[in-house]
Amino acid sequence: MKFVIHEHHASRLHYDFRLEIAGVLKSWAIPKGPSMNPSDKRLAVMWTIHPLEYGEFEGIIPQGQYGAGAVVIWDSGEFEPEGDPESSLKKEG
């Protein structure tokens, strides 16, 4: 399963963390961005679901459109979930 972190220069710089779950990219906005320190805590707000193809997107979202600004792939790769990720999300939400 895929993951991607987009650096998103919209009205405010933030990062979008996306996980492939159930054939789509479930997404969380991280206002302060990721940390290299595992003891740091970061707010992550569940956000818009995107098609898998969006994980490859880098470019400029034009002014006047939602999320206008530059989008860069900050990191991407594969992950292996522990258990069923859909069930885990339902428990959390």
Side-chain angles (χ1 to χ4, degrees):
M1 299 171 85
K2 297 179 183 180
F3 79 87
V4 65
I5 301 171
H6 280 123
E7 180 180 311
H8 190 174
H9 295 263
S11 55
R12 292 186 179 181
L13 172 63
H14 67 280
Y15 292 78
D16 296 310
F17 175 63
R18 307 182 197 282
L19 294 175
E20 177 184 349
I21 299 174
V24 296
L25 289 173
K26 304 276 180 144
S27 301
W28 292 261
I30 306 171
K32 290 189 177 181
S35 171
M36 298 305 287
N37 182 348
S39 66
D40 284 347
K41 295 186 180 203
R42 293 287 192 256
L43 173 69
V45 179
M46 192 170 220
W47 204 243
T48 308
I49 294 171
H50 291 287
L52 290 177
E53 297 78 31
Y54 195 76
E56 305 292 321
F57 177 76
E58 280 190 304
I60 305 291
I61 299 172
Q63 290 298 320
Q65 290 190 15
Y66 180 77
V71 178
V72 178
I73 295 176
W74 190 78
D75 194 11
S76 65
E78 301 282 325
F79 78 100
E80 187 172 331
E82 293 181 7
D84 177 36
E86 286 185 89
S87 295
S88 295
L89 283 175
K90 288 177 185 173
K91 290 179 191 174
E92 295 294 321

